[in-house]
Amino acid sequence: MDSLIEWAVSIFVIIGGVFALVGSVGLTRLPDFYTRLHGPTKATTLGVGGTILGSLIYFSWQEHALQLHEVLITLFLFITAPVSAHMLAKAAMHRDLKRMKGTRGEPWKQ
């Protein structure tokens, strides 16, 4: 059973690392602020979530009890990441940051 837990932890950590890598590459390669914002908020959130899930499995197995620290970290992450991305996008729209041609949505002007 120990090898099954080790495999599960390894798979979740690798999946988390791949998502974090994809989000980081998206942050550097995408052309404008709005598309750059999309990469880290989606892919990196899943990357950290996968890594924390692997940590949850590992430490819960070691202590023979559910570890609530990782659950709270995951809950906090999945609540705050979309809110902070929304606030950054709204601030960029109010500052009239340049968008690439294919970016949809126009800021509302009064």
Side-chain angles (χ1 to χ4, degrees):
M1 188 67 172
D2 286 337
S3 64
L4 181 65
I5 297 299
E6 290 173 0
W7 275 101
V9 169
S10 300
I11 288 170
F12 280 117
V13 169
I14 289 172
I15 288 172
V18 168
F19 273 111
L21 178 66
V22 168
S24 300
V25 169
L27 179 64
T28 59
R29 304 255 338 203
L30 292 171
D32 68 344
F33 176 78
Y34 299 102
T35 55
R36 281 188 197 139
L37 185 62
H38 183 75
T41 55
K42 304 296 184 240
T44 308
T45 302
L46 290 173
V48 172
T51 305
I52 291 175
L53 190 57
S55 174
L56 172 71
I57 293 170
Y58 176 77
F59 286 111
S60 295
W61 179 256
Q62 290 294 320
E63 300 293 326
H64 301 291
L66 181 64
Q67 298 296 310
L68 292 179
H69 295 94
E70 283 86 1
V71 174
L72 292 174
I73 292 169
T74 305
L75 181 67
F76 182 73
L77 175 73
F78 284 116
I79 289 173
T80 59
V83 172
S84 63
H86 178 74
M87 296 303 289
L88 285 169
K90 290 288 276 185
M93 289 175 73
H94 286 293
R95 293 192 51 127
D96 289 329
L97 286 182
K98 293 180 182 178
R99 295 180 301 268
M100 66 178 233
K101 188 176 182 181
T103 303
R104 295 185 305 174
E106 292 292 324
W108 185 65
K109 305 253 182 184
Q110 290 184 341

